[in-house]
């Protein structure tokens, strides 16, 4: 007699998996959750969620406010500060990002790659009002942003091909969704040293991005400036972004070949 395949529930998962599922219940759309919300979003029984949330709260990974709602705790922020691709990189880059902001008074970003996404680790808001309102920790697909194109263009050919062969999400009529067009954009980014993303996420914004290199020369991040598309002066923005990216790269230990 053949039965249905058994599906392992979250409660039957390992202890680390259950703990991570509790933390994974929080995101930018759900920064504050009740115990019931955590149980539902993590796929755990209320009893299991209560036990795990208690342990995480005692350690400091979660904090409970007076209304009984849970938030991510400062202890996680302290741990995250040790990540070389997170706050440590941000601290090194911040003076150069501030210089770029002072030179342009436009929106300035710093991002790293995580899988097929870019994750923003710093954002300085400029005077221009554009539709993209990035927050630290926000994610976007690599192909749809300037920083994403700069990072993808300098990744391995194998990763680029896998990415181009995947689903290219569309956000506006201008988003690159054709693999051949994306390959051309990546080749142009490598040729010029900068990436230009024109109205790909919202139809009013344009970004210019440049790669940031680490000690050995590998691209570890990307810096960009985001401006209203209607008044964008790309030839003026390119040198400013390049200078910022080069400054951060040197601060990270990169030394260009003579």
């Amino acid at each position: 007699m053949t039965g249905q395949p058994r599906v392992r529930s979250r409660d039957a998962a390992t202890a680390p998996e259950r703990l991570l599922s509790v933390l994974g219940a929080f995101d930018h759309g759900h920064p504050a959750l009740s115990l019931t919300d955590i149980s539902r979003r993590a796929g755990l029984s209320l009893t299991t969620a209560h036990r795990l949330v208690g342990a995480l709260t005692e350690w400091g990974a979660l904090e409970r406010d007076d209304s009984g709602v849970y938030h991510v705790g400062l202890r996680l922020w302290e741990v995250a500060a040790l990540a070389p691709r997170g706050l440590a990189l941000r601290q090194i880059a911040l003076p150069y990002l501030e210089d770029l902001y002072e030179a342009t008074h436009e929106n300035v970003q710093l991002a790293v790659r995580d899988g097929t996404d870019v994750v923003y680790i710093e954002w300085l808001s400029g005077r221009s009002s554009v539709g993209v309102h990035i927050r630290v920790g926000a994610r976007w697909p690599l192909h749809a942003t300037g920083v994403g194109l700069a990072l993808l263009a300098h990744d391995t050919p194998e990763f680029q091909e896998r990415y181009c062969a995947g689903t290219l999400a569309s956000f506006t009529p201008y988003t690159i969704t054709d693999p051949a067009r994306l390959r051309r954009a990546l080749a142009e980014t490598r040729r010029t040293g900068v990436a230009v993303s024109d109205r790909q996420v919202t139809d009013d914004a344009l970004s210019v991005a440049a790669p940031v290199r680490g000690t050995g020369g590998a691209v570890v991040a990307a810096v960009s400036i985001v401006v209203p598309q209607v008044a964008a002066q790309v030839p003026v923005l390119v040198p400013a972004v390049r200078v910022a990216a080069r400054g951060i790269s040197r601060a990270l230990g990169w030394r260009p070949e003579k």
Side-chain angles (χ1 to χ4, degrees), residues 155-241:
D155 213 300
T156 64
E158 293 78 14
F159 179 79
Q160 291 177 32
E161 281 305 308
R162 288 199 305 272
Y163 190 94
C164 290
T167 301
L168 302 178
S170 178
F171 304 97
T172 75
Y174 306 97
T175 306
I176 298 175
T177 57
D178 176 58
R181 185 183 165 206
L182 178 55
R183 292 187 185 94
R184 290 194 297 270
L186 297 178
E188 181 67 7
T189 297
R190 289 189 293 271
R191 186 185 71 82
T192 62
V194 294
V196 177
S197 178
D198 185 0
R199 296 170 290 176
Q200 288 212 83
V201 175
T202 65
D203 59 9
D204 65 345
L206 177 144
S207 69
V208 178
V212 171
R213 298 182 182 275
T215 304
V219 171
V220 297
V223 59
S224 74
I225 189 167
V226 181
V227 301
Q229 190 274 340
V230 67
Q233 299 182 29
V234 174
V236 176
L237 300 175
V238 166
V241 175

Side-chain angles (χ1 to χ4, degrees), residues 32-57:
L33 297 170
S34 68
L35 181 60
T36 301
D37 292 333
I38 294 172
S39 171
R40 176 177 52 80
R41 288 178 56 79
L44 300 171
S45 69
L46 195 58
T47 301
T48 300
H50 182 270
R51 176 170 53 82
L52 296 177
V53 166
L56 289 168
T57 302

Side-chain angles (χ1 to χ4, degrees), residues 5-6 84 88 106 123 129 134 156 163 166 170 180 184 196 209 222 231 244 250 254 258:
R6 295 178 62 186
E106 299 289 359
W123 170 274
S129 176
I134 298 298
T156 64
Y163 190 94
S170 178
R184 290 194 297 270
V196 177
R250 285 184 173 275
W254 174 65
K258 301 294 184 180

